[in-house]
Amino acid sequence: MTSNPCIHWLGAGLSSGPGIAALARRRGNVVLWNRTGEKARALVQTIGADEGLSVETLDFERLADRVAAGDVVVSMLPGAFHVRVAKLAIAADAHMVTTSYLNPEMMALDGEARAKGLVVLNEVGVDPGIDHLFAQVLVDAARTAGQLAGGHAVSFQSHCGGVPAVANDFRYKFSWAPLGVLTALRNPARSIRDGVELRTEKAWTGVEDIDVLGETFEVYPNRDSLGYVAEYGLADVADLQLFVRGTLRLPGWKAAWADIFAAVEGGTDASLAALSERLWRDYSYAPGEQDRVVLYVSLESRDAAGGSWKASLSLDETGTGWQTAMARTVSLTAQVAIGAVLDGRLKPGVQAATRDPQEAKRWLAQLVDDGINIDAENVSLQ
């Protein structure tokens, strides 16, 4: 292994700048790989982090030649590339990190990664990412307080959304290609409501109002929440009344998107691609326009005598330029995770963000140092 492992960051998109700058400052030896070298060099010039940071035009054969044992390869490319990048990293005896959701294709690499002592780390952005860290801290606090024992009805909710800081007629703006948002609307979702499983076939049929952080938002269930019951350490709770991971939107979003839902329901791959291009043209962020990321995670327990306990963790960030709220919350979390990999604090294998509440607190403390404001109710981050 090299004495100063190289961090190969793939992708100079809108969610990369703050994390790259932090890594160049803290770790050095960062190479930014991008399909368009000019775009990567423009980002480096914008963030002013040229020390400890170099740029290469992305070519997978050249990348494979450059990656050495002990390096970390970070994929901020479209999701279809992540497994390819992971295989390249493992072949070079290097670690791999991505902010995207873990999937079965990636999990199939677990045995090989473990055998080589390598970490293939997923879900280390904001959602998924910081939401997982919040959940681990809250569940640990509840368990320590005896709030997950028999006789307690437990409710857990985690809601996150990236929205325009100033509402527009569409009630939304896109930080990256809209196609991913459109196709995700087709995904069915599972959650627990009133103690029983609830399945939502289409995202927009599950929209409801929710009051968090002193505001009313619209929220719909995000994918399959039930897979995270065990991940968050709640599989042994006898009376789990509510468990849902949701996507937050501004009030009025469902009405503003009525035509979009109809297009998604009856659309083809080609028609959705065309719609994505139009939406990007009409509703992407303008230069200097502020975005906003809201994340709220809470856990509540009630006993048979009517007593209650509740704790929550939340953030509400705004930003602009190369330091948008989405870029900061996603890429700064990734750079914290990369540090954990390089420092040997994670076990080998394919995995999502840490399950260890103390390690989660350590990640959150660094995010606070990096300027992310986290509000804690009835729970300590120390």
Side-chain angles (χ1 to χ4, degrees):
M1 294 181 61
T2 58
S3 58
N4 185 18
C6 183
I7 302 165
H8 303 269
W9 187 290
L10 279 53
L14 297 176
S15 293
S16 289
I20 293 170
L23 285 169
R25 182 177 70 251
R26 287 197 171 105
R27 301 278 175 171
N29 202 15
V30 179
V31 180
L32 173 57
W33 297 79
N34 195 65
R35 183 178 59 83
T36 307
E38 291 81 0
K39 182 177 181 180
R41 284 186 284 273
L43 176 61
V44 172
Q45 183 176 10
T46 298
I47 66 181
D50 52 354
E51 186 174 349
L53 174 61
S54 60
V55 170
E56 294 283 351
T57 301
L58 180 58
D59 174 273
F60 280 96
E61 289 186 4
R62 292 184 63 240
L63 175 65
D65 288 339
R66 288 281 300 275
V67 177
D71 287 355
V72 179
V73 185
V74 186
S75 179
M76 299 295 282
L77 302 173
F81 288 94
H82 295 332
V83 171
R84 180 181 182 182
V85 172
K87 289 178 178 179
L88 183 154
I90 292 172
D93 293 325
H95 308 286
M96 187 267 191
V97 174
T98 177
T99 59
S100 295
Y101 276 103
L102 186 57
N103 61 36
E105 283 185 286
M106 191 72 79
M107 277 304 306
L109 304 177
D110 182 59
E112 187 177 1
R114 287 176 183 268
K116 288 192 166 190
L118 301 172
V119 175
V120 177
L121 185 58
N122 304 253
E123 303 188 15
V124 288
V126 56
D127 174 10
I130 299 177
D131 56 342
H132 296 340
L133 307 179
F134 282 3
Q136 298 296 347
V137 172
L138 290 172
V139 170
D140 181 64
R143 194 172 295 281
T144 300
Q147 297 298 318
L148 303 182
H152 290 79
V154 177
S155 297
F156 174 90
Q157 57 183 323
S158 174
H159 303 300
C160 184
V163 297
V166 178
N168 60 347
D169 59 331
F170 195 53
R171 320 305 285 178
Y172 192 72
K173 287 259 181 164
F174 294 95
S175 300
W176 44 65
L179 187 59
V181 176
L182 297 177
T183 54
L185 290 172
R186 289 175 160 178
N187 294 334
R190 293 196 304 162
S191 57
I192 294 175
R193 302 293 181 97
D194 299 322
V196 298
E197 178 182 331
L198 175 66
R199 184 177 178 90
T200 307
E201 292 300 329
K202 303 181 184 70
W204 58 88
T205 64
V207 176
E208 59 184 2
D209 290 341
I210 186 171
D211 295 321
V212 295
L213 306 182
E215 293 183 48
T216 300
F217 293 90
E218 292 182 353
V219 64
Y220 61 88
N222 180 14
R223 301 175 182 248
D224 185 355
S225 296
L226 300 193
Y228 289 93
V229 172
E231 288 285 332
Y232 292 170
L234 295 173
D236 62 341
V237 173
D239 187 7
L240 189 57
Q241 281 291 302
L242 174 69
F243 190 94
V244 60
R245 300 176 71 252
T247 299
L248 287 176
R249 294 290 183 253
L250 293 175
W253 172 80
K254 183 178 180 179
W257 276 52
D259 291 343
I260 302 300
F261 301 147
V264 168
E265 188 167 23
T268 63
D269 290 345
S271 68
L272 289 186
L275 176 59
S276 174
E277 291 181 6
R278 178 174 67 80
L279 292 175
W280 181 250
R281 183 179 64 249
D282 294 343
Y283 295 109
S284 60
Y285 283 95
E289 187 174 4
Q290 277 197 325
D291 76 328
R292 181 185 183 194
V293 171
V294 178
L295 170 60
Y296 175 82
V297 184
S298 73
L299 193 153
E300 186 172 2
S301 174
R302 296 183 181 275
D303 60 31
S308 65
W309 178 95
K310 182 179 181 180
S312 67
L313 289 165
S314 61
L315 62 82
D316 187 352
E317 294 288 317
T318 58
T320 188
W322 67 275
Q323 297 200 66
T324 63
M326 188 64 71
R328 290 172 61 240
T329 52
V330 170
S331 68
L332 288 175
T333 307
Q335 64 93 23
V336 173
I338 293 162
V341 172
L342 287 171
D343 293 342
R345 301 201 308 271
L346 302 179
K347 294 180 180 179
V350 178
Q351 58 200 274
T354 180
R355 294 185 183 183
D356 182 344
Q358 295 308 312
E359 182 69 12
K361 288 180 180 180
R362 184 170 183 167
W363 291 21
L364 293 173
Q366 186 170 326
L367 286 173
V368 171
D369 287 343
D370 286 335
I372 302 297
N373 297 306
I374 297 173
D375 290 325
E377 176 191 0
N378 196 32
V379 64
S380 173
L381 293 179
Q382 301 301 313

